[in-house]
Amino acid sequence: MRGKFITLEGMDGAGKSTHIPDIIKLIESKGVEVISTREPGGTVLGEQLRALLLNEAMHPETETLLMFAARREHIANVIEPALARGAWVLSDRFTDATYAYQSGGRGVSAEKVISLEAWVQGNLQPDLTLLFDVPVEVSVARLASARTPDKFERESAEFFTLIRNAYLDRANKHPNRFRVVNSNQALSDVKIEVKNIISTL
Ligand code: TMP
C-alpha cells in the first residue's frame, strides 16, 4: 500500500520543526517506516540549491524556479520512491511554502506557481498538511532571539504578514488536507494538538 505524505508548514519562527521527532515516533508506533526530509533540500543537489536560496539575493521568479528545481529532484529521488514502497514521508515544507513565500510574499503570480506545480508534481499532493500558525509579532520576536538569521528570516513584519495570510488562504482553500495548529500556546498543548491530528491517520 502506498505511504502517506505529510507536510509541515508555517512562518519562520512558528515552531514547526520542534515537533518532527514526536511526529516520527507517533508514525513509527503505527508500525510503518517514515522518512523525514525537508525543502528546499532533501537531496544532495537540493541542499546545494538550499544554500543558494537561503543566502543569495535573486529575482523572485529565479527563486521560484529554483524551489521547483530542488522539488523535482526531491520528488524523483526521495518522496516518490518512499511512498511507492509504502513508507510515509514527513517533509518540513513543500509547495504551500512557494505559494506563501514566493507568491504571497514576493508577488510572483499564482498562475505561474500553479503551472510549475502541475509540471513538477503531476497529481502528487500531501495527504495532510499541518500549518503551525502564530501571530506575526510572536514569530518576529522568536526570530530576533534566534541564531544568525538567513535571507528569509531577515525579512520585515510586513513580509511575514503576507506569508501568514497566504498560508491561511491556502488552508481555507484546501480544508480537507490542512489542519491549522495554534502554535501560540504552551508547547505541551501544541504537542497534544499534533498528537490528536496524527492519531486520526
Ligand atoms: P526552514 O527555515 O523552515 O527550513 O525553511 C527555509 C526557508 O525557505 C524558509 O524561510 C521558507 C523558505 N521557502 C520558500 O521561500 N519557498 C519554498 O518553496 C520553501 C520550500 C521554503
Side-chain angles (χ1 to χ4, degrees), residues 8-13 16-17 38-41 50 53-54 63-64 67-68 71 92-102 106 147 150-153 159-160 163 167:
L8 307 181
E9 299 284 358
M11 280 182 288
D12 298 272
K16 64 183 164 46
S17 310
R38 70 172 180 182
E39 288 205 350
R50 179 188 177 91
L53 282 159
L54 268 52
E63 201 172 81
T64 306
M67 289 292 177
F68 273 106
R71 187 162 296 136
D92 189 347
R93 298 193 188 280
F94 194 61
T95 304
D96 294 302
T98 314
Y99 281 100
Y101 283 78
Q102 280 65 51
R106 305 260 196 245
R147 56 194 163 75
D150 64 38
K151 187 180 90 180
F152 292 101
E153 292 166 340
F159 181 80
F160 287 116
I163 304 303
Y167 267 134

Side-chain angles (χ1 to χ4, degrees), residues 11 104-105 136 140 155-165:
M11 280 182 288
V136 171
V140 168
E155 287 285 352
S156 64
E158 289 72 31
F159 181 80
F160 287 116
T161 303
L162 293 171
I163 304 303
R164 185 185 187 204
N165 291 342

Side-chain angles (χ1 to χ4, degrees), residues 65-87:
L65 289 163
L66 288 181
M67 289 292 177
F68 273 106
R71 187 162 296 136
R72 189 70 195 95
E73 283 298 298
H74 196 203
I75 292 170
N77 295 324
V78 177
I79 299 176
E80 267 303 339
L83 294 175
R85 69 169 186 268

Side-chain angles (χ1 to χ4, degrees), residues 109-163:
S109 82
E111 287 68 32
K112 287 181 176 163
V113 178
I114 290 168
S115 64
L116 287 169
E117 178 184 32
W119 182 29
V120 165
Q121 287 166 233
N123 292 327
L124 177 70
Q125 287 292 337
D127 296 291
L128 170 71
T129 299
L130 296 181
L131 172 58
F132 291 83
D133 184 53
V134 288
V136 171
E137 11 354 320
V138 173
S139 128
V140 168
R142 284 182 186 167
L143 291 174
S145 59
R147 56 194 163 75
T148 325
D150 64 38
K151 187 180 90 180
F152 292 101
E153 292 166 340
R154 284 195 299 270
E155 287 285 352
S156 64
E158 289 72 31
F159 181 80
F160 287 116
T161 303
L162 293 171
I163 304 303

